Amino acid sequence: MDISIDEFTRKIRSRGYKLTPQRRVILEILIKNKDNPLTPEGVYKQVKISCSEVGLTTVYRTLELLRKIGVVNHVHFHDGCDRYEINDGKPHHYLICLNCGKVERTNLCFIDKMQKILEKDTAFKITEHCLSFFGYCRFCQLRK
Amino acid sequence: MDISIDEFTRKIRSRGYKLTPQRRVILEILIKNKDNPLTPEGVYKQVKISCSEVGLTTVYRTLELLRKIGVVNHVHFHDGCDRYEINDGKPHHYLICLNCGKVERTNLCFIDKMQKILEKDTAFKITEHCLSFFGYCRFCQLRK
DNA sequence: CTCCGTGCAAAGCATTTGCATGATG
DNA sequence: CATCATGCAAATGCTTTGCACGGAG
């Protein structure tokens, strides 16, 4: 287990933010779903399932806060809503099937290399990136 | 000039879609803005500037149509709206400054290679991808 | 006591849909 | 002239904001 809640709570506190029960619950859910980027609505539902109570507004605000301090990443599946995943320091990239919606994760990555070259070439200081691939999974290829 | 409107209109017609004046205007605008992914609203404004009349709904529908037949790409800048750019066959990737919003384009790309390996490893058939980098441009780095 | 965080309700936008009208091949 | 495309208005859905209440230090 390379993700600990303590590590993240430290990060939150060190920035002067309080670790409220709501923030803790949301963090736990994100850690539990580390392989599955959740929408704010998805986080909200999981909160209910775990028998806790957190307002949807708070979910939105917390996710944005966590993103700002680098605890979660922002991901897009082109389906009209934002998704968030815990940032464990490894690159996460996704394969999204345009037919069945299946999502596969891959951590194959040339991005580090690409990022370094880009930073040198452009003098940009890169802090985040977002990469998703879209296409058809092996089953949907057959079904067409 | 490596982008011709005829090339795209052929693509549209060959799929059984009609080439209406509205679609033509939108195509022209996308070609004119090939270095600058536009939001549907942005396309709509450009239409007005060029003294044409196209409903916003039609803009949405046309962009989605063009995306489906591979004429435009879908891009995300994490700012709450979709963006579209003409697909000239070259990879387009972006550097988005989180401070001033400046967007730079780069076509440095390991994605082709990455895509081939991914397809082999996962049996996914990849048809699109979306890659953006976020960070701070050289000016905003100094201003902080 | 002062802040910061929360949660409700309402507002704000981007996007989609229903439907009657209009244009195209 | 049948079909597909358009455009308005309304609906939808995700996200943000205003504001009063509540809790921690």
Side-chain angles (χ1 to χ4, degrees), chain A residues 22-33:
Chain A
Q22 289 92 333
R23 287 174 181 170
R24 174 172 267 275
V25 171
I26 292 171
L27 255 179
E28 280 167 358
I29 285 168
L30 289 169
I31 291 172
K32 202 184 299 168
N33 288 272

Side-chain angles (χ1 to χ4, degrees), chain A residues 51-63:
Chain A
C51 296
S52 307
E53 230 5 283
V54 181
L56 185 54
T57 308
T58 302
V59 173
Y60 275 96
R61 282 193 278 228
T62 301
L63 290 173

Side-chain angles (χ1 to χ4, degrees), chain A residues 31-43:
Chain A
I31 291 172
K32 202 184 299 168
N33 288 272
K34 70 190 174 67
D35 289 324
N36 173 32
L38 295 172
T39 62
E41 190 67 36
V43 172

